[in-house]
Amino acid sequence: LETALSRSGAAEQYQEIRKSLRKDDVDWREYYSNGRVGALKCNPLVTLDAVFRDALALRDSLARNDVSDVLFGWIDIKTALMDPITLPAIETPDDVLDFCEYVYEEASKYREAAFIKYSEDDMAFVYAKLPAFLRKLTNHMYLSVPSFSCGETYREYYSLYDAAERAQKAADEVKGAEKERLEESSKKAWAEWRSFLGEHRTELEEQDTLYVDNIRLVKLTRKTDYVALANMSQVISLFLRDDVLSAIRETLEKHPISTETRRSTRFGEMVISGRENNVHTGKCAVVVDLGGDDVYAGCLGGGNTPQKPFGLIIDFSGSDKYGNGAHESDFGLGAGICGAGVLIDLAGDDEYVGGMGSQGFGFLGLGALKDCKGNDKYRVEEGGQGCAGFGVGLLVDEDGNDE
């Protein structure tokens, strides 16, 4: 690991993350050792080493192979059950849309199998509770530890409770005149604890509710058929193949479009745009743009609702701006929530300003951002840029001086 870190230039980043995890562990060791929560089943520092090893190995592999070829050789799930897919010919702009719709239809079959054990209420719960879940893990690695904003309140609450318990125990263990004095101290300690609880009850109850919701969300993931989910993601990753992107580009260059081409499908609107400076908004399921300095607003490029489980952006050239950082771009720009989202930019000095869960974010799905050329800038709020939970998050930048 040390050799790989040194060669990759990631040693400093690794040490910073390790220092942060160790501080979390020290800060909350007493909280865990007092029996209020279950013991940890893994050592996060060991897990960090494994993550870095995998990430560095993946990067080395990506330098030699196509993204789609690497992606599922890296996942430790057997996908041999997937039926072979025959790529259709791509010779006209309509063929491009036919291909996108075909991939979505094939992926949809596996998505349905992946979540067949989920009820409608289960799916609604995942979509509704994921933002709070992600915010929790952004500021702390343990689900059962209060958020930083409430951490001091929890410490004071348990400190007062422990003091009252000790005072009660001391009073119970003595007799005579000393007992009366200790009982009075115990009453005062319990009164102080009850007073504090009354003042902070809402804050503490909100944290308890959040914890219960987060645990339910984790338990729901056990219903997932991960082989089917991996197969769904593998189908969607066809968009990442260099030969597919080349075929789409060559077709659209041979048959230039004078106006925007649109098609309505059960997955949402699919759009092909020309080389003008376009502004793409709304909730299109597919946007293919030939060039120009374009603006992408909202959560395009994300598969993030039951009605829109897949999202795709392919932009062939131009210095483009993706997102505005506001919450309207949450779970877009290459994000897959119980689905898949892919953003591919082939050239240009681009700016990515994502909200929560974007720029290569997957939760029970695949989220991928691939940028091939240009000096790019990346900004994201919470959870993104190659981040995942029970899925795959991938950000691949192949060239350029980036920030």
Side-chain angles (χ1 to χ4, degrees):
L1 178 61
E2 289 181 2
T3 300
L5 287 169
S6 177
R7 186 176 70 251
S8 68
E12 183 176 349
Q13 182 187 22
Y14 167 82
Q15 291 299 337
E16 287 178 358
I17 297 175
R18 189 175 180 86
K19 181 179 178 181
S20 176
L21 291 178
R22 190 178 295 280
K23 182 177 185 301
D24 272 0
D25 188 51
V26 171
D27 286 351
W28 292 95
R29 185 173 295 151
E30 182 179 354
Y31 184 83
Y32 276 95
S33 64
N34 62 20
R36 294 194 180 97
V37 296
L40 294 176
K41 293 184 173 64
C42 67
N43 182 334
L45 299 177
V46 173
T47 303
L48 174 67
D49 288 356
V51 168
F52 264 83
R53 284 193 192 96
D54 282 352
L56 294 171
L58 176 62
R59 190 174 77 165
D60 289 344
S61 185
L62 285 170
R64 302 188 300 272
N65 302 283
D66 199 343
V67 174
S68 60
D69 294 333
V70 171
L71 189 54
F72 291 93
W74 178 59
I75 299 176
D76 189 22
I77 295 177
K78 296 188 182 301
T79 58
L81 297 178
M82 191 179 81
D83 295 329
I85 292 179
T86 302
L87 293 179
I90 302 176
E91 298 176 349
T92 69
D94 279 341
D95 289 342
V96 173
L97 296 180
D98 287 344
F99 171 71
C100 293
E101 194 169 358
Y102 168 74
V103 171
Y104 279 11
E105 289 288 356
E106 292 298 310
S108 184
K109 298 173 186 176
Y110 291 111
R111 179 182 180 273
E112 183 177 346
F115 300 110
I116 196 166
K117 293 182 180 179
Y118 284 64
S119 67
E120 288 187 12
D121 286 344
D122 289 340
M123 294 300 287
F125 185 86
V126 172
Y127 287 112
K129 301 301 181 180
L130 179 57
F133 179 85
L134 187 56
R135 278 192 292 269
K136 183 69 182 68
L137 291 183
T138 298
N139 68 42
H140 206 288
M141 64 182 175
Y142 300 135
L143 282 178
S144 49
V145 170
S147 64
F148 286 151
S149 62
C150 190
E152 292 305 319
T153 304
Y154 256 74
R155 285 190 175 93
E156 182 67 14
Y157 170 85
Y158 282 120
S159 176
L160 292 172
Y161 184 86
D162 289 343
E165 275 196 328
R166 288 194 299 271
Q168 181 73 58
K169 184 178 180 180
D172 291 343
E173 291 177 347
V174 300
K175 296 179 180 179
E178 182 68 7
K179 184 178 184 67
E180 183 176 345
R181 184 185 68 80
L182 291 176
E183 284 180 338
E184 186 63 28
S185 295
S186 174
K187 289 179 182 178
K188 289 182 179 179
W190 283 116
E192 188 176 357
W193 172 77
R194 282 191 292 271
S195 175
F196 186 87
L197 175 61
E199 293 176 12
H200 299 277
R201 182 182 296 275
T202 299
E203 184 179 11
L204 293 167
E205 286 180 348
E206 285 177 353
Q207 289 296 316
D208 288 341
T209 299
L210 176 60
Y211 172 65
V212 171
D213 286 346
N214 286 341
I215 295 301
R216 180 187 170 190
L217 183 58
V218 171
K219 288 182 176 180
L220 275 178
T221 65
R222 298 172 185 171
K223 294 184 176 185
T224 309
D225 182 333
Y226 283 101
V227 171
L229 188 65
N231 287 336
M232 175 208 76
S233 301
Q234 195 167 16
V235 174
I236 291 294
S237 74
L238 291 172
F239 293 122
L240 294 163
R241 284 177 47 166
D242 290 338
D243 58 340
V244 169
L245 294 170
S246 295
I248 293 174
R249 181 202 289 270
E250 290 171 7
T251 296
L252 296 179
E253 287 178 347
K254 288 179 182 177
H255 304 276
I257 58 174
S258 56
T259 59
E260 191 175 69
T261 300
R262 284 182 174 265
R263 178 185 295 181
S264 295
T265 73
R266 73 184 185 95
F267 303 102
E269 289 284 309
M270 296 186 175
V271 180
I272 301 177
S273 296
R275 299 183 182 280
E276 301 82 11
N277 295 337
N278 298 301
V279 177
H280 298 288
T281 60
K283 297 181 179 180
C284 293
V286 172
V287 178
V288 179
D289 192 287
L290 282 171
D293 298 336
D294 308 306
V295 175
Y296 294 83
C299 56
L300 293 169
N304 45 37
T305 69
Q307 296 76 31
K308 192 172 89 65
F310 306 122
L312 172 68
I313 297 172
I314 302 176
D315 191 294
F316 285 100
S317 66
S319 297
D320 310 302
K321 181 173 181 179
Y322 296 91
N324 55 15
H327 284 294
E328 69 176 33
S329 60
D330 288 352
F331 305 115
L333 307 179
I337 317 301
C338 301
V342 175
L343 192 169
I344 305 162
D345 189 290
L346 282 85
D349 298 334
D350 308 302
E351 183 177 2
Y352 300 91
V353 186
M356 173 187 293
S358 61
Q359 299 177 22
F361 174 80
F363 188 87
L364 291 170
L366 165 69
L369 190 165
K370 176 181 178 180
D371 189 286
C372 299
K373 293 181 181 179
N375 301 323
D376 310 302
K377 296 180 179 180
Y378 297 89
R379 299 289 184 273
V380 72
E381 293 291 328
E382 298 160 309
Q385 297 182 352
C387 174
F390 311 101
V392 178
L394 185 66
L395 192 162
V396 178
D397 190 295
E398 296 181 339
D399 187 52
N401 297 316
D402 309 302
E403 297 179 14

